[in-house]
Amino acid sequence: MANKIHILGADVANKIAAGEVVQRPASAVKELIENSLDAGARHIAIIVREAGKTLIQIVDDGEGMTAEDALAAFQRHATSKILSAEDLEEIKTLGFRGEALASIAAVAQVELKTRQSHADVGALVRIEGSEVKEQGPAATEPGTSIAVKNLFYNTPGRRNFLKTRQTELKNITDVVTRAALVFPGIGWQYVSDDEQLLDLKPKDPDGRMADLFGDRLFRALIKVEEHSEFLHMSGYIGRPDFARKSRTEQFLFINRRPVVNRALNHAVFQAYEHLLEKGSFPFYALNLELDPHRVDVNVHPSKLEVKFENESAVYRFVLSAVRKALGAHDLMPSISMNAVPSDIGLDARLRFIPPPAQTDLADVAGRAGDSADVDPDIVLRRVERRIGEEAVQRDGEATFPSDLHQTQRPAPARILPLRPMGAGAEQHPVSGQSPIWQVQNKYILSQIRSGLLIIDQHVAHERILYEKAVANFENNLPSTQQLLFPQTVQLSATDYSLAKELIPHLEKLGFDLKPFGKNTVIIEGIPADVRVGSEALILQDVLDEYRNNEHTQTMDARDNLAKSFACKAAIKAGDRLNTSEMLVLIDQLFATQMPYVCPHGRPIVVKITVEELDRRFGRT
Ligand code: ADP
Ligand code: MG
């Protein structure tokens, strides 16, 4: 029988590869820009016509090529960037597959002019549908100019699949923007149908951000800079009030390579918790640097996907870096000036006040409240410092010892001492006058320098317990109180299997549980924050809440559990608090990473400024 298999010719093979590498004009632009960057260009111009359909031209001042290389560059698997398979483990350039030029030349008419700076004369190559039409010397500037005409002229299927000109242009603009964003030191020019869309001079990162997005957005950005042993992340995140209704303003880079990564996207989103309205997405532009050994960029021909050696570690790093950056800024809603008086609290429009001059989180956290010595003045000054108000020095008072604990490691917030339910606040008379009150057994009012803070006691405690639970998961230092009389709890079959599954996590929270069979568990110890006597109820509540969360959101199990626990173990509206309990609560709250929203997204603190009160009473 005759054999049936034959090897495809280079032109067919290149066309097939082009299907993956060059899906649309924007992907050709991306590949060509990457080549210019890899060639060490300091200035890159991008010129397109009809959204890249008739012309894409990239001109750079990079290292250029010899005449032989200029021809070889169009061969499939022709690259100067890697030599061996081992090199794939350690890719430092943006390109490495050696197929972009071959693919583009298979589906377009390409003219390449290039010259190395020391060479007297440059080289020209003209190639159409993988066929070399012309080659020879050329008079040209040092660097490389490549013109791609009539993309997909010989693949009508592809051409017909292109979206509207507007959409294709937007895709190209997006590619150029991303590159300009993460390479601020390079000059960029971008021209579409003779209209100059971008003309960016080399700048520092801040300057480039401002040039790209305008001063207004730039001022709404929070800078992020975070190191760990293996990772370095830098960039910008948007203040929550600058969130958008779509994800288009989310820029993620790994070693300055634009990537799409759902997990890290989720990590950023998660860090905002519910600072964002439903359906809105934060602005971010973040570049993550890590050893190329630890990330595989050879996942897909488009190079937009990466695989991490340890994705969950990277996830946690991004989550905590973004959370920290957000927490270091005052995102506290304050009652808006134009709210109708009777609507205070209901109609309070969230207004984000500028960041504090200097907030040292570690310093604040290091002094997380100690119930033994709660001096209202000290506590309230910590709060003021945390939210960026200078501590006021009143007559006859010692200055707050600001450097007292600065060298201490941040400690997880201590436990709020809770009295058995029903005990009255009168038991703890506080000498003198404290600028702190409980209202309706629900809210804590406290005077600070700039006005009045109103704190929702339940969500405040929820935030404290949540961060403590998360810290326990990470550090493995739960505080358990052993029960004198272990409690037997009968659960439903589903709850029983859920509890069994969650036991390792519950233990980290401080529960000491033993499955006893027949849908029964024995509670031998409970977290230090849980009131003795309510343990069975709290366990049941936590399981319920866990299951609710599981359906509505995709959270990882530990985070879910931390939230459920915090919600159920926290003091409730209606619980009476005495002054020192309130002070401890406030102190611990402002030692958390994010004192302004609870893990479910409700606001914790509202501020009314003196100016606002003055305005309402016509004192302005
Ligand atoms: P890759 O970038 O994966 O190596 P390409 O097909 O994109 O593959 O390019 C092939 C080779 O052509 C590159 O390895 C590089 O040596 C050379 N080259 C392409 N574009 C340029 C450029 N703008 N300046 C200098 N050399 C270039
Ligand atoms: Mg390339």
Side-chain angles (χ1 to χ4, degrees), residues 2-13 16:
N3 294 330
K4 59 183 179 182
I5 296 175
H6 52 265
I7 305 291
L8 294 174
D11 53 337
V12 191
I16 292 173

Side-chain angles (χ1 to χ4, degrees), residues 391-402:
V392 256
Q393 196 181 340
R394 275 158 247 162
D395 285 344
E397 280 179 358
T399 2
F400 177 64
S402 59

Side-chain angles (χ1 to χ4, degrees), residues 31-32 34-35 38 81 94-101 303:
E31 290 295 336
L32 297 173
E34 289 184 351
N35 282 347
D38 283 343
K81 299 169 193 175
L94 294 165
F96 57 89
R97 301 177 59 102
E99 55 188 1
L101 290 187
K303 298 171 287 180

